[in-house]
Amino acid sequence: MDSTAAALFDSYHQDYEHIIRNVKQILEKDAQQQFGEQRKATLRRVELDLDSADDLISQLEIEVQGIPASIRPQFSSRLKQAKIDMNRTKRLAKDMHNQVSRGDLLGPNKRFNMSSDSPYDDANERTRLLAGHERLNDASRRLQDSTRLALETEDAGADILRALHIQGEQIANARGTLNSADTSIDRASGTIQKMIRQMYKTRFILGAIGVVLVIVVALILYFKLIRH
């Protein structure tokens, strides 16, 4: 499970870096050469890409929890840097939005009107939208895989807890049996001690009776043989 979490983290991180690189290129180069509605459309695509990047950041936060503690710091550092890059890119996109808003206040731009009908821009936009849609599908599939893995892990954990509960009951039963055995042994030991004391008492009584009989026989012989 741990290796799977690390592998998923790497996969999500690669997708995230790919999206962020494309967004930065669009904001720093492509969008700078566009105007009016063309730039607005580009910024809308940027917003979709940033939403996908946000989803990937969330996945990175989930996967980093399943990575072994011994190697988790390096992945946490990568996650932290990814969040920093994300915030910088969002600020760059926000600045571009502000530029567009100021441009709307100043009125339409003739350069955009001359180039907005170019079929190459429409084809490029469709290509980027399709690419963004494909990345979203990939992220969705990975999210489903991660969810499935989490459910399987939860089921395995539940099975382990049930097994531990059963073992706990068995240990408790065995402990009760041992306690009962200890009680029985104590009772048997007490009974044996009583029997030993009774045996010594019986021996003493028999010995006393034997002594008395010997004395009686000796007296009888004395009176019959000697006194006679």
Side-chain angles (χ1 to χ4, degrees), residues 165-185:
H165 179 69
I166 292 173
Q167 292 179 359
E169 290 181 347
Q170 292 175 347
I171 292 173
N173 293 333
R175 185 179 299 170
T177 302
L178 289 175
N179 291 334
S180 299
D182 288 340
T183 302
S184 299
I185 291 173

Side-chain angles (χ1 to χ4, degrees), residues 34-38 40 99-114 116:
Q34 298 172 349
F35 302 92
E37 293 300 324
Q38 187 180 21
K40 289 180 180 179
Q99 292 179 15
V100 172
S101 299
R102 288 194 296 269
D104 289 340
L105 292 175
L106 295 175
N109 189 292
K110 292 182 180 180
R111 290 179 59 189
F112 171 72
N113 291 335
M114 294 173 61
S116 60

Side-chain angles (χ1 to χ4, degrees), residues 20-38:
I20 289 300
R21 280 197 301 268
N22 288 340
V23 170
K24 287 181 178 179
Q25 181 179 358
I26 292 172
L27 293 175
E28 296 174 353
K29 183 178 178 181
D30 297 346
Q32 298 293 340
Q33 301 173 0
Q34 298 172 349
F35 302 92
E37 293 300 324
Q38 187 180 21

Side-chain angles (χ1 to χ4, degrees), residues 155-170:
D155 292 338
D159 293 338
I160 293 173
L161 288 177
R162 284 194 292 269
L164 291 175
H165 179 69
I166 292 173
Q167 292 179 359
E169 290 181 347
Q170 292 175 347

Side-chain angles (χ1 to χ4, degrees), residues 81-217:
Q81 184 60 45
K83 290 180 178 180
I84 293 174
D85 292 340
M86 185 70 179
N87 291 331
R88 290 175 179 172
T89 307
K90 284 182 176 180
R91 285 196 296 270
L92 185 60
K94 184 178 180 181
D95 292 340
M96 186 64 68
H97 275 290
N98 292 335
Q99 292 179 15
V100 172
S101 299
R102 288 194 296 269
D104 289 340
L105 292 175
L106 295 175
N109 189 292
K110 292 182 180 180
R111 290 179 59 189
F112 171 72
N113 291 335
M114 294 173 61
S115 61
S116 60
D117 295 332
S118 173
Y120 299 103
D121 292 332
D122 293 338
N124 189 30
E125 180 178 353
R126 286 195 297 271
T127 300
R128 289 178 179 174
L129 287 175
L130 289 174
H133 182 69
E134 184 63 26
R135 287 196 296 270
L136 285 175
N137 288 336
D138 290 340
S140 178
R141 284 193 295 270
R142 289 193 176 92
L143 179 60
Q144 291 176 356
D145 292 340
S146 180
T147 302
R148 177 180 53 80
L149 179 62
L151 291 175
E152 291 176 354
T153 303
E154 183 179 356
D155 292 338
D159 293 338
I160 293 173
L161 288 177
R162 284 194 292 269
L164 291 175
H165 179 69
I166 292 173
Q167 292 179 359
E169 290 181 347
Q170 292 175 347
I171 292 173
N173 293 333
R175 185 179 299 170
T177 302
L178 289 175
N179 291 334
S180 299
D182 288 340
T183 302
S184 299
I185 291 173
D186 291 339
R187 291 177 179 175
S189 177
T191 302
I192 291 173
Q193 290 178 356
K194 289 180 181 179
M195 293 175 63
I196 291 173
R197 287 195 296 270
Q198 186 65 31
M199 179 187 68
Y200 284 127
K201 182 178 180 180
T202 302
R203 283 185 178 181
F204 177 77
I205 293 173
L206 290 176
I209 292 173
V211 171
V212 171
L213 289 176
V214 170
I215 294 173
V216 170
V217 170

